[in-house]
Amino acid sequence: MRLLLLIAFLSGLAGNVLAAAQDYAKYFEVNLDEKFPSYEALSKKYLEGRKIVDRGYDYHWKMEDAFNRVFRLTISSYGGTDKRLKAENEEELLQMLRLMPPETYQYIGPYLHTVPNISEKVLNMPGIRETKNKFPSRIAPELADVEDLEFLSPYLYYVLMPEAWPSYRQRQEKPRKRPAAPVKVVHDPAFFAKLKKIVPEEDFYPDAPKETKLGMSDLRTVEPDKNSLLTSADVKAFINTLDGVEAFGKEHLYQIYNASFILDEWEKERGEALPVNALKDSVNPCQRLVQKIRVAGLEREFTKTVVGEGFDAKGWAYTCDKTIKAYRMSMLTRSAMVSIMLYKKGIYDSYTDSLGPKTAEMQYSAMQSVIEMYKAPRRDVEEVRKNRTALRNKLNSINNYLVGSPIVILK
């Protein structure tokens, strides 16, 4: 899994475009009215017996003081078995390598040659075979002067790639902006006198009394649902809950992690899962979080965290996801917008259809997830923009992640 993620990361840096024609939108819908069995029943069904090997501990923060000698021998021998790389992943791995530009092989090839029992077909692939025990020749300028860089682990060679650093994109030449020609406007004293009469300039003096009017933007939404629109007051209330939600997530990390696995297995069983089901957490991170909290039986405790701002768990989830999507829309760059528009027009369909069935399915669902991440009504975007600075500062303080789910996707 770590190997596949690394190759996918390098493929993205190299500029591979993911797109889809098939509509996966229905798979991203979250049903907050769904009823789940008890956590004990779900744990017994999905969690028991899922370990391939008994590691001797559940999570790294719950290790025992004494080391288990049998565990050491088991885990050491397991690393050298043929289960290290499953046979069905071989063609998928080869397909991913073929999609990568050959100049990136020098960053992934040396690591492939260190993976135990990896297929000879992969290691002898042209371009990969020549990289054995070789140090990359293209080094990012930020690392060029680092001493003893040649002793870096091959697993970390991808950080040496210039394309992995922001400075590579910043160095790209940009067209110069030409100043616009001055517009010749004939001064009309009568027009400006009339304008001054309608809008007195005294109303804009520093000491002018401020006019305060309450509007829809200042009111909270009662019982928000999937189709209700945001107000500025809703956004402010959501921002005030983030610290408490993050603290709740850290306190109950163990239960939420297990609930995430249970929820994925639950949806697989019902044919509602995506090839990479974690994409749902990126599209609707808050609704998915509330689902996991319900699976774990923690909804009552969670509600205590957000009730101070007038939310219940369901209302908070809807308000949170609407705010995040509107925030993403307000921060969308032109290049990202063009990529999304080209995908929606089907420009990349012929390329994606040429991939293997598994890879194509993953590509389609990944690009559909991007479409869903940036769906927000204009009214929601306008209300979020009024509070965007406060929201951005709060999201930056939690590293743009909400209990493990990413908030900011495209920059």
Side-chain angles (χ1 to χ4, degrees):
M1 177 58 69
R2 185 173 72 169
L3 176 61
L4 295 177
L5 289 174
L6 176 60
I7 294 178
F9 170 74
L10 287 173
S11 299
L13 289 174
N16 289 338
V17 181
L18 307 182
Q22 185 174 346
D23 187 10
Y24 282 80
K26 64 180 182 180
Y27 291 100
F28 295 97
E29 289 291 328
V30 178
N31 181 12
L32 289 183
D33 295 321
E34 187 171 7
K35 304 298 182 182
F36 296 98
S38 67
Y39 181 69
E40 291 73 18
L42 291 170
S43 298
K44 185 175 182 180
K45 182 176 182 180
Y46 295 113
L47 295 181
E48 290 184 7
R50 70 185 177 101
K51 295 180 181 178
I52 298 176
V53 61
D54 184 7
R55 299 175 299 178
Y57 63 92
D58 291 326
Y59 295 96
H60 66 271
W61 61 83
K62 294 184 64 179
M63 284 186 179
E64 299 294 336
D65 295 333
F67 195 79
N68 189 327
R69 182 174 179 273
V70 176
F71 162 65
R72 179 181 65 81
L73 295 174
T74 302
I75 200 66
S76 298
S77 61
Y78 176 73
T81 64
D82 58 0
K83 294 181 181 179
R84 189 65 171 181
L85 184 65
K86 293 183 180 180
E88 64 254 27
N89 287 335
E90 181 181 281
E91 288 303 321
E92 184 177 354
L93 178 56
L94 287 169
Q95 179 73 10
M96 296 177 73
L97 289 171
R98 293 188 187 105
L99 293 174
M100 295 173 58
E103 57 267 21
T104 62
Y105 288 171
Q106 57 185 304
Y107 305 103
I108 186 67
Y111 171 66
L112 292 177
H113 285 280
T114 66
V115 177
N117 297 309
I118 196 167
S119 168
E120 291 294 328
K121 188 176 181 179
V122 174
L123 297 181
N124 289 322
M125 178 180 173
I128 296 295
R129 179 178 59 249
E130 294 79 7
T131 61
K132 184 176 183 180
N133 297 328
K134 285 189 177 181
F135 190 74
S137 58
R138 293 174 65 248
I139 308 297
E142 290 83 352
L143 303 176
D145 298 329
V146 176
E147 294 183 2
D148 300 325
L149 192 62
E150 62 272 17
F151 296 107
L152 183 70
S153 169
Y155 173 64
L156 296 175
Y157 279 179
Y158 67 92
V159 303
L160 302 176
M161 186 163 57
E163 291 84 353
W165 292 81
S167 60
Y168 179 83
R169 294 184 290 275
Q170 294 170 1
R171 288 198 302 267
Q172 294 180 355
E173 188 175 347
K174 296 181 180 180
R176 294 182 180 180
K177 292 184 179 180
R178 296 182 179 180
V183 180
K184 296 181 180 180
V185 179
V186 179
H187 181 69
D188 184 359
F191 170 77
F192 286 100
K194 183 178 180 180
L195 183 64
K196 184 176 179 180
K197 187 176 180 180
I198 298 173
V199 186
E201 60 184 18
E202 292 82 5
D203 292 349
F204 299 91
Y205 288 169
D207 59 346
K210 293 184 178 180
E211 185 178 8
T212 56
K213 289 184 180 179
L214 286 177
M216 289 295 297
S217 183
D218 303 299
L219 303 177
R220 290 290 303 278
T221 302
V222 180
E223 297 184 359
D225 55 35
K226 284 187 176 182
N227 300 317
S228 60
L229 296 175
L230 285 175
T231 68
S232 179
D234 293 335
V235 177
K236 291 176 181 176
F238 162 68
I239 294 173
N240 293 336
T241 65
L242 280 174
D243 289 336
V245 171
E246 273 297 291
F248 177 88
K250 292 178 181 178
E251 181 181 355
H252 300 284
L253 184 62
Y254 177 79
Q255 296 99 314
I256 293 175
Y257 178 87
N258 281 338
S260 179
F261 179 83
I262 290 173
L263 186 58
D264 287 345
E265 294 299 311
W266 172 275
E267 292 177 341
K268 282 181 186 178
E269 199 174 85
R270 285 155 180 75
E272 301 170 356
L274 289 165
V276 181
N277 214 39
L279 290 172
K280 295 183 180 182
D281 295 1
S282 299
V283 173
N284 294 301
C286 310
Q287 294 179 62
R288 294 289 288 178
L289 175 61
V290 168
Q291 269 195 323
K292 296 171 188 177
I293 288 171
R294 285 182 173 177
V295 169
L298 298 171
E299 185 174 0
R300 183 183 296 271
E301 289 79 359
F302 177 78
T303 302
K304 295 177 182 178
T305 303
V306 299
V307 73
E309 295 295 332
F311 289 114
D312 60 6
K314 190 175 179 180
W316 177 87
Y318 288 138
T319 303
C320 172
D321 282 337
K322 291 173 188 292
T323 302
I324 288 175
K325 289 181 180 180
Y327 176 74
R328 289 169 176 165
M329 280 289 291
S330 72
M331 303 290 287
L332 188 63
T333 62
R334 181 178 298 179
S335 59
M337 180 181 66
V338 170
S339 296
I340 292 174
M341 291 177 64
L342 291 176
Y343 157 69
K344 294 179 74 173
K345 291 181 179 179
I347 300 298
Y348 306 119
D349 289 350
S350 59
Y351 161 76
T352 308
D353 290 337
S354 66
L355 305 174
K358 283 188 177 181
T359 306
E361 188 178 9
M362 293 175 66
Q363 304 274 37
Y364 280 134
S365 59
M367 278 306 301
Q368 183 65 47
S369 72
V370 177
I371 303 298
E372 300 300 320
M373 289 176 204
Y374 289 88
K375 280 186 177 180
R378 179 174 177 177
R379 157 79 178 273
D380 287 1
V381 178
E382 290 173 348
E383 295 301 308
V384 166
R385 283 181 63 88
K386 298 175 183 177
N387 306 277
R388 188 166 61 178
T389 299
L391 180 58
R392 179 171 60 243
N393 292 339
K394 182 60 69 174
L395 295 179
N396 287 339
S397 70
I398 58 175
N399 297 320
N400 289 303
Y401 275 80
L402 185 62
V403 192
S405 297
I407 294 175
V408 178
I409 307 298
L410 299 179
K411 292 186 178 180

